[in-house]
């Protein structure tokens, strides 16, 4: 397996000059914790924090040797899941976003505080020219087949695995 880069490299990516550690937030509403082969970001959902976590996911996955296509897919899945949480609970909802590499692919997990409201895929076809929305979970299913939802200590967790090319180790 590829080694996980040090967390302080991510602080530069997020635009901070302070040394980042699990005890020091890097930006307001963004707390970063390393984990093997990835990270967990505790965020207050905002456009700025979504952009930062997407950039962080890209940098981390590329550093782990993941191909560009799988990185793009993981970023899209991450965006859809965070977007669903914001639509369901409003701006600044507290979320935990985990992105890490496993032998089964890239894990993208989003935790939100409501264990009762479960995401449901609409019957909207992905190629519908009339639909204004409702494609998000269809895209997630396409890019991360078999995603699921589990209750967690902080609410619920939507768990996805984006497949990677054979040979990642």
């Amino acid at each position: 397996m590829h080694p996980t880069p040090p967390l302080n490299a991510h602080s530069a990516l997020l635009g901070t000059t302070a040394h980042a550690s699990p005890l020091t937030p890097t930006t307001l509403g963004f707390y970063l914790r390393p984990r093997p082969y990835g990270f967990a970001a505790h965020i207050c959902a905002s456009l700025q924090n979504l952009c930062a976590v997407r950039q962080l996911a890209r940098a981390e996955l590329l550093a782990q040797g993941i191909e560009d296509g799988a990185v793009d897919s993981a970023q899209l899945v991450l965006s859809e899941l965070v977007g669903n949480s914001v639509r369901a609970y409003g701006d600044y909802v507290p979320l935990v976003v985990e992105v890490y590499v496993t032998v089964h692919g890239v894990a993208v997990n989003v935790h939100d505080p409501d264990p009762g409201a479960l995401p449901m895929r609409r019957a909207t076809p992905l190629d519908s020219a009339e639909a204004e929305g409702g494609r998000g979970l269809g895209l997630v299913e396409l890019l991360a087949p078999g995603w699921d939802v589990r209750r967690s200590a902080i609410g619920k967790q939507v768990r996805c695995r984006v497949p990677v090319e054979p040979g990642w180790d």
Side-chain angles (χ1 to χ4, degrees):
M1 299 215 147
H2 299 283
T4 301
L7 186 59
N8 62 2
H10 298 158
S11 63
L13 176 66
L14 297 174
T16 63
T17 56
H19 173 72
S21 77
L23 303 175
T24 306
T26 55
T27 64
L28 184 62
F30 196 109
Y31 175 80
L32 186 60
R33 289 189 45 190
R35 62 168 295 150
Y37 311 108
F39 65 89
H42 299 246
I43 67 171
C44 225
S46 69
L47 181 58
Q48 177 185 3
N49 286 339
L50 175 59
C51 290
V53 80
R54 282 178 49 87
Q55 290 174 354
L56 181 59
R58 172 168 282 292
E60 181 67 35
L61 294 175
L62 290 173
Q64 296 295 333
I66 301 301
E67 300 279 331
D68 272 336
V71 171
D72 292 342
S73 294
Q75 285 184 299
L76 181 55
V77 167
L78 184 153
S79 294
E80 288 297 332
L81 296 181
V82 169
N84 284 349
S85 293
V86 169
R87 277 185 290 285
Y89 309 112
D91 292 336
Y92 307 109
V93 61
L95 302 173
V96 178
V97 177
E98 296 178 292
V99 178
Y100 56 95
V101 181
T102 74
V103 295
H104 303 291
V106 175
V108 178
N109 303 330
V110 175
H111 303 254
D112 70 48
D114 189 353
L118 301 177
M120 295 182 357
R121 183 174 176 196
R122 296 183 190 167
T124 306
L126 291 177
D127 61 352
S128 171
E130 290 83 37
E132 294 180 14
R135 294 181 184 93
L137 290 177
L139 288 172
V140 169
E141 179 65 32
L142 184 68
L143 300 172
W147 62 273
D148 67 347
V149 181
R150 296 196 177 177
R151 294 188 193 278
S152 71
I154 61 172
K156 73 172 168 294
Q157 175 188 50
V158 180
R159 302 172 356 135
C160 301
R161 298 293 179 273
V162 175
V164 297
E165 289 296 316
W168 182 87
D169 54 27

